[in-house]
Amino acid sequence: MYDYDLLVVGSANADLVIAVERRPAAGETVLGTDLVVHPGGKGANQAVAAARLGARTVLLARVGDDAYGRLLLDSQREAGVDTVGVLVGGAPTGVALITVDPSGDNSIVVSPGANGRLAPEDVRAAGSLFQASRVVSAQLEIPLETVVEVVRNLAADSRFVLNPSPPRPLPAEVLAACDPLIVNEHEARVIAGTAALGDSPESWAKSLLALGPRSVVITLGAEGALVAERAGVRVRVPSVRVDAVDTTGAGDAFTAALAWRLGRGEPLAEAAAYAARVGAAAVTRPGAQESFPTAEEVAYL
Ligand code: RIB
């Protein structure tokens, strides 16, 4: 019996958000709205999204001993996330500078701060959380050697879910643990490196599976997602049509929902279909964590 449905290992950022008419090109200055500060970061977002859906969730992360760190801790606790694994100090809290345009699309620059100090020894010290968690999820806003240590500390029958964002080439040891690896097209191309990807999502999935993951989920925006398992399963999951206000954090909500439903024993394609509805709900409201739905809201979507 596990104490937690989901352990999220990852980043926590203060999101400094400005809405703009048009995101600036290189060398360009544009004027935007007043600055708004939201709790964010891909790890912290996943933890809040899962907890809001009802998952017993714990976060392993690092924030600074500062006002942004307290904002992030408050947001986790309010959502019901266990913050026993949130370490404080070592560097200022991570910050994300975000511009959002009227279509809801964004551009993000992250200063990792304390996220960059979440070290392999922090993972080893949190061994009891790994033993107590059915599913573990991670992203790549923390050092890669820390993610390597995560896969070395998984409990024997727990499941590992990775959204490699922002993407970088991954060691075989990490790829082999992913079940699933969740990528969009850009992330797929970076992870595949010199391996030929082909020109359809089905061929991308085949190439990625050849690198070692047990399963792959390729998110395709308005085209939904493709689920592919080593066992041969290939399923297209449709998207859910909504009016997008702000896409920030929608991918994190998708990953969290998928991880939670997998932990409940759902087949990957069903979990992905549910996650698509959670991600769709998240784009209909501004901000990241504030936009994540409850299970009840998803049921009415
Ligand atoms: O995925 C969205 C997140 O990316 C934002 O909350 C921001 O902090 C960056 O990490």
Side-chain angles (χ1 to χ4, degrees):
M1 183 58 191
Y2 291 101
D3 292 337
Y4 300 106
D5 301 309
L6 181 64
L7 163 62
V8 181
V9 186
S11 59
N13 297 326
D15 287 355
L16 276 46
V17 184
I18 300 177
V20 290
E21 275 307 309
R22 196 168 46 77
R23 288 174 289 142
E28 201 184 2
T29 302
V30 298
L31 295 179
T33 58
D34 287 348
L35 178 76
V36 182
V37 180
H38 296 289
K42 296 182 194 304
N45 290 349
Q46 284 187 8
V48 166
R52 200 157 290 157
L53 291 169
R56 297 166 303 158
T57 310
V58 60
L59 175 66
L60 175 56
R62 185 177 283 279
V63 297
D65 185 7
D66 49 34
Y68 288 157
R70 287 186 281 283
L71 169 81
L72 284 153
L73 277 164
D74 286 349
S75 168
Q76 294 293 312
R77 289 178 182 137
E78 231 167 79
V81 176
D82 190 337
T83 56
V84 66
V86 180
L87 305 162
V88 178
T93 298
V95 169
L97 305 179
I98 303 180
T99 51
V100 183
D101 71 20
S103 75
D105 281 338
N106 60 39
S107 298
I108 304 180
V109 179
V110 172
S111 167
N115 299 306
R117 270 65 161 196
L118 188 69
E121 50 267 37
D122 297 327
V123 170
R124 288 192 288 276
S128 60
L129 296 183
F130 284 82
Q131 294 308 314
S133 302
R134 185 183 298 279
V135 180
V136 177
S137 73
Q139 332 73 38
L140 297 184
E141 285 184 336
I142 55 174
L144 187 53
E145 57 267 31
T146 304
V147 177
V148 171
E149 196 59 33
V150 167
V151 305
R152 290 181 182 163
N153 281 267
L154 296 171
D157 54 355
S158 69
R159 192 159 178 164
F160 180 60
V161 174
L162 178 68
N163 172 222
S165 177
R168 53 194 290 191
L170 293 172
E173 186 180 3
V174 172
L175 284 165
C178 296
D179 192 14
L181 174 75
I182 303 175
V183 289
N184 60 24
E185 179 180 354
H186 166 64
E187 290 153 2
R189 291 194 184 284
V190 176
I191 302 300
T194 53
L197 261 194
D199 51 13
S200 70
E202 282 73 12
S203 67
W204 308 341
K206 190 172 172 208
S207 304
L208 290 171
L209 284 171
L211 298 175
R214 291 173 210 177
S215 58
V216 168
V217 175
I218 301 180
T219 56
L220 302 165
E223 303 306 313
L226 172 71
V227 168
E229 294 179 85
R230 216 191 276 163
V233 172
R234 302 282 185 277
V235 179
R236 284 276 191 157
V237 173
S239 67
V240 180
R241 307 263 163 206
V242 287
D243 289 328
V245 170
D246 182 354
T247 58
T248 311
D252 307 327
F254 177 94
T255 299
L258 182 106
W260 173 52
R261 299 295 276 215
L262 285 177
R264 287 170 38 140
E266 268 183 15
L268 183 56
E270 269 175 44
Y274 182 82
R277 297 171 63 198
V278 173
V283 307
T284 62
R285 293 192 283 242
Q289 295 172 20
E290 294 96 325
S291 73
F292 299 157
T294 61
E296 215 174 19
E297 287 168 331
V298 179
Y300 286 109
L301 192 71

